[in-house]
Amino acid sequence: MKRNQLDLEYIASRLEGLEETVIFKLIDRAQFKQNDQAYQIGASGFSNEPHQCLFDLRMLHQEHMDALFGRFFVPEERPFNNNLPEAKRIVHLQATGLSIANLDIVNMTAAIKATYLALLKSLCQPGSDEQYGSSVEHDVYAIQAIARRIHYGALYVAESKYQRNPVVYQTHIEAQDTASLLALLTRTDVENRIIERVRAKVAATQERVNHLVRNIVNTDAVVDYYHNTIIPLTKQGEVAYLLNRRTTT
Amino acid sequence: MKRNQLDLEYIASRLEGLEETVIFKLIDRAQFKQNDQAYQIGASGFSNEPHQCLFDLRMLHQEHMDALFGRFFVPEERPFNNNLPEAKRIVHLQATGLSIANLDIVNMTAAIKATYLALLKSLCQPGSDEQYGSSVEHDVYAIQAIARRIHYGALYVAESKYQRNPVVYQTHIEAQDTASLLALLTRTDVENRIIERVRAKVAATQERVNHLVRNIVNTDAVVDYYHNTIIPLTKQGEVAYLLNRRTTT
């Protein structure tokens, strides 16, 4: 953990570890059906919450607790909710090497939430098993793992790449040239390698389980989510970071 | 989910599913070091909590939230803390088929907590990586999965076996004959099969991960915990259930 946090090889290995967590959590969620009622406003079962759904209530309570424990001091842990309480815990963090005034400039949670809820349609079996509480509990773990993967990549990959090539990046930043930044950040060969690794892992993880006991998820659903959502949102976050990067003077 | 909840084959398949969750969560926890500070009273980082450790505080906050959401209406979800708030959510449960006045008569959490904390010494690498918040977060998920496995087995296996052989069980119950009940509940061949399955799963789960990115846990640590703790505590819970079983009159 004392390695240089901006070493690109170290960042790639952390991204790979976070990727395994994302895959495990998605498979866990898929053990329950879609359970639409958990996402319907007014159907939470909380008598005093007519304007919320169970999923949103669970996210809010989880993040309320997480905020007290100091989770959001960590750069890659960005909250889905506003108006969370102050931390009650003193947390000692190592220097991150990041250079941004406010981490929530790179907060992709609105897009993550929308795409995650859409993913449930292809990830889970349709219908209801009435396990609403367990479903949203696993939703929270999955969506937090996805958000951690995206924000970690957005922040640390962007800063690392900037430091390798500051003159070129600075030119595009000053011109606010989003398209050139995106092109500079894109490595199609690396992205393809990630996609194939995700495909292999989803398949391997499910090969060894007892199919009579566990639901099997559609490998393409997870792979497509990685390809169409996780990687693009990470790059969008990288661009947001760079456009708001603070140059020390 | 509409299957007979007391069918022994169905119970065995659920126990096998819960077993996978336990294994995954233990491996997740082992990605962090032992981090003793997280279990030291007064070292939580919470300035207003001099008499608690971070682990206990996290458990309490988690269960406070879980109680509001109605988790403890579910028979196999027994709380580690007392004095939790009332649920704010109305939960509709199917009939369980269980026959006991108060589910917390079969609450094994004190023993689960003590044995889990001892397990960390053989599960995790020694020393500190300063990831105290993440460690206790994963502790909570792991210990809840372990408790669910033990209480589910204790309650449903006991009731199912009772119903298959009520006359013999009732004789031992009336005599409060713990030793005979334990002998009647014990199937060494089944226990050995579970142990070997756990061993194979721990090994297989770790075979396919990237060893440069993930810590590998000692298979024996998990197998021994299953053998010396999870199975015996489940049977102890079965006996407690039977001794307190309510006969409908």
Side-chain angles (χ1 to χ4, degrees):
Chain A
M1 289 289 175
K2 298 290 176 197
R3 293 181 60 175
N4 177 4
Q5 304 221 43
L6 295 175
D7 172 55
L8 210 48
E9 208 175 307
Y10 170 72
I11 294 169
S13 81
R14 277 226 46 202
L15 286 172
E16 191 177 333
L18 296 171
E19 169 188 304
E20 307 213 334
T21 309
V22 168
I23 292 169
F24 286 171
K25 304 292 184 214
L26 289 176
I27 292 173
D28 279 348
R29 171 60 182 90
Q31 302 312 306
F32 304 95
K33 293 197 176 176
Q34 287 178 18
N35 287 331
D36 292 341
Q37 190 179 307
Y39 313 94
Q40 280 163 14
I41 286 169
S44 69
F46 281 73
S47 53
N48 60 339
E49 296 287 3
H51 305 303
Q52 299 252 45
C53 69
L54 187 63
F55 170 79
D56 286 332
L57 282 169
R58 185 76 187 187
M59 282 298 292
L60 182 61
H61 279 77
Q62 174 78 38
E63 291 202 321
H64 188 100
M65 172 174 69
D66 287 338
L68 295 178
F69 279 76
R71 182 192 203 103
F72 304 117
F73 291 134
V74 178
E76 61 267 32
E77 303 285 7
R78 303 317 330 134
F80 286 74
N81 288 284
N82 301 315
N83 302 320
L84 294 170
E86 293 286 312
K88 284 194 178 173
R89 183 173 159 238
I90 298 156
V91 180
H92 301 282
L93 288 177
Q94 297 171 44
T96 62
L98 301 173
S99 189
I100 192 161
N102 173 3
L103 288 164
D104 278 313
I105 291 167
V106 188
N107 186 326
M108 317 298 288
T109 54
I112 292 169
K113 182 179 162 184
T115 56
Y116 174 78
L117 293 176
L119 169 67
L120 291 180
K121 304 282 172 213
S122 49
L123 186 75
C124 301
Q125 293 176 1
S128 164
D129 53 29
E130 297 178 19
Q131 306 281 303
Y132 307 121
S134 295
S135 297
V136 299
E137 184 184 332
H138 287 86
D139 282 331
V140 167
Y141 303 152
I143 206 169
Q144 285 188 331
I146 292 164
R148 187 180 308 126
R149 161 62 180 78
I150 289 173
H151 291 114
Y152 180 82
L155 296 168
Y156 288 95
V157 172
E159 179 62 27
S160 175
K161 289 192 172 173
Y162 178 93
Q163 290 196 11
R164 284 188 168 194
N165 202 357
V167 177
V168 174
Y169 273 101
Q170 200 57 44
T171 310
H172 294 318
I173 289 168
E174 276 159 27
Q176 298 278 300
D177 184 348
T178 303
S180 294
L181 285 172
L182 204 55
L184 206 56
L185 291 163
T186 298
R187 287 278 307 276
T188 310
D189 56 333
V190 174
E191 292 177 13
N192 289 340
R193 222 160 42 225
I194 293 173
I195 293 300
E196 288 318 309
R197 193 174 64 202
V198 168
R199 182 182 299 283
K201 268 186 204 163
V202 175
T205 305
Q206 300 192 105
E207 240 166 48
R208 54 177 195 79
V209 303
N210 183 341
H211 292 211
L212 300 172
V213 176
R214 303 273 289 184
N215 291 335
I216 302 301
V217 311
N218 181 349
T219 303
D220 283 337
V222 179
V223 169
D224 290 351
Y225 188 70
Y226 238 89
H227 188 258
N228 299 330
T229 300
I230 291 183
I231 291 176
L233 283 182
T234 303
K235 291 200 291 186
Q236 204 175 308
E238 290 174 41
V239 170
Y241 174 84
L242 290 169
L243 291 176
N244 293 282
R245 189 178 180 283
R246 201 165 46 173
T247 45
T248 41
T249 45
Chain B
M1 292 290 178
K2 298 291 176 196
R3 293 181 62 176
N4 176 4
Q5 303 221 45
L6 296 176
D7 173 55
L8 209 49
E9 207 175 308
Y10 170 70
I11 294 169
S13 82
R14 276 226 46 202
L15 286 172
E16 190 177 335
L18 295 171
E19 167 189 306
E20 308 215 332
T21 309
V22 168
I23 293 170
F24 286 171
K25 304 292 184 214
L26 290 176
I27 293 174
D28 279 348
R29 171 60 182 90
Q31 302 314 306
F32 305 94
K33 293 197 175 175
Q34 287 180 17
N35 288 330
D36 292 340
Q37 189 178 308
Y39 312 94
Q40 281 163 13
I41 286 169
S44 70
F46 280 74
S47 53
N48 59 339
E49 297 285 4
H51 306 302
Q52 298 251 45
C53 68
L54 187 63
F55 170 77
D56 286 331
L57 282 168
R58 184 75 187 189
M59 281 299 292
L60 182 61
H61 278 78
Q62 175 78 37
E63 291 202 321
H64 187 101
M65 172 174 70
D66 287 339
L68 295 177
F69 279 76
R71 182 193 203 104
F72 304 117
F73 292 134
V74 178
E76 62 267 31
E77 303 284 6
R78 303 317 330 134
F80 287 73
N81 289 283
N82 300 314
N83 301 321
L84 294 170
E86 294 284 313
K88 284 194 176 173
R89 183 174 158 235
I90 298 154
V91 180
H92 301 283
L93 288 177
Q94 298 171 45
T96 63
L98 300 173
S99 189
I100 192 162
N102 174 3
L103 287 164
D104 278 314
I105 292 168
V106 187
N107 186 326
M108 317 298 289
T109 54
I112 293 169
K113 182 180 160 182
T115 55
Y116 174 78
L117 293 177
L119 169 66
L120 291 179
K121 304 283 171 213
S122 50
L123 186 75
C124 301
Q125 294 176 2
S128 163
D129 53 28
E130 298 179 18
Q131 306 281 304
Y132 307 122
S134 295
S135 297
V136 298
E137 183 184 333
H138 288 85
D139 282 331
V140 168
Y141 303 151
I143 207 168
Q144 286 189 330
I146 292 163
R148 188 181 307 126
R149 161 63 179 77
I150 289 173
H151 291 114
Y152 180 82
L155 298 166
Y156 289 95
V157 171
E159 178 62 26
S160 175
K161 289 192 172 173
Y162 178 93
Q163 290 196 11
R164 285 187 166 196
N165 202 358
V167 177
V168 175
Y169 274 102
Q170 199 57 44
T171 310
H172 294 317
I173 289 169
E174 276 159 27
Q176 298 278 302
D177 183 348
T178 302
S180 294
L181 285 172
L182 204 54
L184 206 55
L185 290 163
T186 298
R187 287 278 309 276
T188 310
D189 57 331
V190 174
E191 291 177 13
N192 290 340
R193 223 163 39 227
I194 293 173
I195 293 300
E196 288 318 309
R197 193 174 63 202
V198 168
R199 183 183 298 284
K201 268 187 205 163
V202 175
T205 305
Q206 300 192 107
E207 240 166 50
R208 54 177 194 80
V209 303
N210 183 341
H211 293 210
L212 300 172
V213 176
R214 303 272 288 184
N215 291 336
I216 301 302
V217 311
N218 181 349
T219 303
D220 283 336
V222 179
V223 169
D224 290 350
Y225 188 71
Y226 238 88
H227 187 259
N228 300 330
T229 301
I230 291 182
I231 290 176
L233 283 182
T234 302
K235 291 200 292 187
Q236 204 176 308
E238 290 175 42
V239 171
Y241 174 83
L242 290 169
L243 290 176
N244 293 281
R245 190 177 180 282
R246 200 165 49 175
T247 45
T248 42
T249 45

